[in-house]
Amino acid sequence: MSNVKDTPEHIQAQNIIVIHPGSHYLRIGRASDVDPVRILHAIARRRKPGGAVHRDCVLPRVAEKSPELLQELEDCRLQITHTLLSCVQSNGQRRYATPPQQIAAYNKRSQPEVIPDSATEWQDASFSDVVIGEEVLQLNPNGEYNVHFPIRRGELNLHDGVGGSLFGVLSDLQAIWGHVLQTKLHISPKKMAQYRAVLVIPDIYNRAHLCEFMTLLLRQLGFGCCFLVQDHVAATFGAGLGYACVVDVGDQKTSVSCVEDGISHPNTRVRFDYGGGDVTQVLYWLLQKCAFPYRECNEAHPLDAILLHRLKEEVGHVNLDVCGSVEKAFTVHQPQMPRRNYTLQVGDEVMVAPLSIFHTELLVLTGANKAPPKTQKSRSLQPHPEDCFDAEYLRETGRRNKENLEQSAMESGTIQSTENPEDDLVVDGLDPEKEAKNNDRDYFLPGGQLVGLDHAIVQSIERCSNDELKRKMYGCILIVGGGMKFAGIGSWLQNQVARKIPAMYRSEHSIVSSPKDMDPEITSWKGAAVMSCLESAVELWLTESEWTRYGLRILREKAVFMW
């Protein structure tokens, strides 16, 4: 592609920057790159003297561990453990497990191997006022920096604390993305207008935030032009699929929707506030029950959180053929302390934690199982002053038109005055509160608990408009994202979904968890890169002058998704 001239028909792939921001990592790179640059999506700013303290944690915060909460966790743990023991291995034999007491006794005896003269110092003094990416981990957790993750649970991290305003969060995004563009991709700010940007956005989006993203890309960062693409649509392009029920499990959110021919069907979209970070917290709770030998571990400290995150990825699995206890070695290297090598013994705990995605009672640990799901219908009803065709505008104009008609009719004597002239004229059946309740209802269990991932997939597909589309979606369930990278979990999901889908579709369904042997973390990024190089993408690009002149209206006209 590098020898192709920059014409409308053949845009140079190396001049297209694909940006996929996440709650944990930012993935960014040229469309011509094999893999994107991946950095921790965090920024630290030196606190002003006497300024307010704010530190976002790497992992979701843990709820207060009341006796009732601990009992609920223990009941669910026992239920999952019994389920695993009732399963059989591939050779037909029943599974067995090492008693937790035996594992705990081993871990209590486990002492670290201390490497002398290996202590280092915190790097606060050597850093500037703004620290970005992995270097944030080298800062003293009790030091003079405020730490911000601009995206949490798949959305802009707006809060009441310092740096939590919309302006503050967008400033953080501008600083992080601009830093990576200059230091990792070696693009000078003066030459930014020569580059085009593709931003991967959530399938369930906030209209006002999309406007801010457009302004950030075209005005603050200075790209020549850009377009937005939903992550689920991009995932199908990355996997080379014409249609799929896309299941995206990230670090702090899980989303499901059905995509066909580059369109994500709004009725099928749902997003939950749980992901890989919540699984990490569940695993840490289980390890503590088994006398985790690194007793000084504090999940609120960034380096310890990253250690637990890596442990989860290395030991977590759902392989029914692995029985009994397994030993795992890991290293702790904290500043101001010597390096220590630990040996840990684990049993079925490393299977129970990943299954919390299906048994959401375990997610009471972070409160993620009580947060209501988000659906596109309720989200799309958010009014925006620049959008003259949003639902609020249609309702208001519909009401006024009705009132004007009635007034004219009364003046002419055609009809008599009614007692209740304020009744709204329903436009396209839009009732925000009713829609939201109907959408949320299917994703809660009777006890007010969110359903597991298997239920969510079935509910999403059942919202498809016809049987043929449902059949296609059951036949291709695509798993992407970095929060569900556990050996064997695709087979477990397939079995769980098979039990819940209507009988007429059971022979159809299949799970695609690693398309083209690609890391599921970058499937959406890769798809956006592929999409940006298509000849048909020429019509998608929006320039700064178009954005300045037309604003939100041009997004409604040219966006690649249904507004």
Side-chain angles (χ1 to χ4, degrees), residues 83 87 492-502 506 509:
T83 300
C87 295
W492 184 275
L493 176 61
Q494 183 148 351
N495 291 333
Q496 295 303 309
V497 171
R499 296 178 182 180
K500 297 172 178 64
I501 65 177
R506 278 181 194 161
H509 96 287

Side-chain angles (χ1 to χ4, degrees), residues 7 15 88 90 122 192 208 231 270 307 315 353 401 417 439 450-451 464 467 488 509 522 556:
T7 63
N15 280 8
V88 295
S90 58
W122 296 109
M192 200 66 75
D231 49 7
V270 64
L307 169 69
V315 304
N401 289 340
S417 175
N439 282 333
L450 282 185
V451 300
C464 289
D467 290 344
H509 96 287
I522 67 167
R556 180 181 280 280

Side-chain angles (χ1 to χ4, degrees), residues 262-502:
I263 298 293
S264 167
H265 292 274
N267 285 353
T268 67
R269 299 176 200 161
V270 64
R271 187 173 81 218
F272 303 101
D273 284 349
Y274 61 76
D278 301 275
V279 175
T280 303
Q281 288 286 30
V282 171
L283 177 62
Y284 181 46
W285 173 73
L286 292 166
L287 293 177
Q288 285 177 301
K289 288 181 66 67
C290 296
F292 188 49
Y294 174 31
R295 293 169 185 84
E296 302 83 4
C297 182
N298 182 349
E299 80 274 17
H301 286 183
L303 281 174
D304 285 343
I306 294 296
L307 169 69
L308 293 170
H309 176 80
R310 288 174 182 157
L311 264 179
K312 175 200 70 177
E313 291 190 335
E314 291 174 8
V315 304
H317 68 87
V318 192
N319 184 350
L320 296 174
D321 288 345
V322 177
C323 303
S325 60
V326 176
E327 287 187 12
K328 167 67 183 173
F330 65 93
T331 300
V332 176
H333 194 194
Q334 291 270 16
Q336 297 182 334
M337 298 182 72
R339 188 189 300 266
R340 288 157 292 165
N341 297 327
Y342 287 88
T343 301
L344 164 72
Q345 197 173 84
V346 292
D348 276 1
E349 294 78 20
V350 294
M351 298 179 70
V352 172
L355 293 181
S356 60
I357 294 174
F358 303 93
H359 300 267
T360 57
E361 302 93 325
L362 278 179
L363 301 180
V364 72
L365 185 67
T366 58
N369 68 328
K370 300 294 185 182
K374 297 176 179 65
T375 52
Q376 188 61 61
K377 276 193 173 180
S378 57
R379 187 52 57 97
S380 66
L381 297 176
Q382 299 162 337
H384 193 281
E386 290 185 25
D387 190 357
C388 58
F389 293 102
D390 69 9
E392 185 72 19
Y393 175 86
L394 292 175
R395 270 195 307 279
E396 289 298 319
T397 53
R399 180 189 296 123
R400 291 193 195 108
N401 289 340
K402 181 183 179 184
E403 290 172 356
N404 292 339
L405 287 170
E406 288 180 345
Q407 186 64 33
S408 300
M410 283 190 289
E411 289 174 356
S412 63
T414 309
I415 64 171
Q416 295 182 350
S417 175
T418 61
E419 292 185 2
N420 191 13
E422 294 297 321
D423 286 347
D424 286 356
L425 177 67
V426 178
V427 180
D428 295 334
L430 295 173
D431 182 345
E433 293 184 7
K434 187 175 180 181
E435 291 285 0
K437 287 179 182 176
N438 289 341
N439 282 333
D440 292 351
R441 186 177 55 201
D442 294 340
Y443 297 105
F444 276 112
L445 295 170
Q449 201 115 277
L450 282 185
V451 300
L453 185 59
D454 45 346
H455 283 278
I457 292 170
V458 173
Q459 291 289 1
S460 176
I461 295 177
E462 285 301 309
R463 288 172 179 266
C464 289
S465 56
N466 58 68
D467 290 344
E468 181 58 31
L469 187 56
K470 291 178 186 178
R471 189 181 305 279
K472 289 166 69 174
M473 295 304 160
Y474 279 122
C476 188
I477 300 173
L478 173 64
I479 310 296
V480 298
M484 208 169 99
K485 292 163 63 173
F486 305 108
I489 202 162
S491 300
W492 184 275
L493 176 61
Q494 183 148 351
N495 291 333
Q496 295 303 309
V497 171
R499 296 178 182 180
K500 297 172 178 64
I501 65 177

